[in-house]
Amino acid sequence: MSFIESIKTVLSKYAVFNGRARRSEYWWYALAVTIVTTILYAVLVAPSYGEYMSAILEASAAGAAPPAMPGALTAGYLIMSLINLALLLPGLGVMVRRLHDTGRSGFWVFFLLVPIVGPIMLIVWFATNGTPAPNQYGPDPKAAAQPAAA
């Protein structure tokens, strides 16, 4: 599955938590979200954040009250929060479908809440090849994408 195709697939299945997802679908989408949020953070939040922290340090050195957060920083955080909220359901959906591809229940996504061990185990499972045959969650998405042998 290509980069663009995986993003289209994940976003078209916005809140779909059943079925299976290939490794490429998950990892390309994860890369795209990481790139987009990093660029937006660098453009919307980082410049104002640096100025705000400098103002706080100057006020602290002068013994004055800390300044109010500038509007640009507040707007940047608001925009980033809305984008992350909009990408939450498709991200959870592709995680659940990826777990289904490895033969695991989608409830394993709650393993993210276990410090250190949980995210590491999920990364390993997301990187693991899916079951090669149909399982209780549906047909093998890799087999459906490959042309039938003659």
Side-chain angles (χ1 to χ4, degrees):
M1 183 174 280
S2 71
F3 181 75
I4 300 297
E5 186 181 356
S6 69
I7 295 168
K8 286 179 181 179
T9 302
V10 172
L11 293 178
S12 70
K13 296 179 179 180
Y14 191 85
V16 175
F17 294 93
N18 57 355
R20 295 169 63 173
R22 295 173 63 180
R23 283 185 292 183
S24 59
E25 181 180 340
Y26 173 79
W27 289 109
W28 282 127
Y29 179 75
L31 177 65
V33 168
T34 301
I35 290 170
V36 167
T37 55
T38 301
I39 290 170
L40 288 175
Y41 184 85
V43 170
L44 298 173
V45 175
S48 300
Y49 184 78
E51 294 172 13
Y52 180 54
M53 291 309 294
S54 297
I56 287 177
L57 290 174
E58 289 173 10
S60 175
M69 187 179 291
L73 185 57
T74 305
Y77 277 129
L78 179 64
I79 292 168
M80 289 298 298
S81 297
L82 292 173
I83 289 169
N84 287 327
L85 185 62
L87 296 176
L88 178 66
L89 282 178
L92 285 174
V94 76
M95 281 188 220
V96 168
R97 292 192 310 274
R98 182 71 204 122
L99 287 168
H100 287 174
D101 191 42
T102 62
R104 292 175 178 82
S105 168
F107 284 106
W108 280 106
V109 81
F110 290 114
F111 214 42
L112 281 171
L113 302 174
V114 177
I116 301 169
V117 175
I120 291 172
M121 283 306 302
L122 283 173
I123 289 171
V124 169
W125 289 340
F126 293 154
T128 303
N129 200 6
T131 54
N135 64 17
Q136 69 266 33
Y137 302 106
D140 182 10
K142 231 181 208 182
Q146 295 174 353

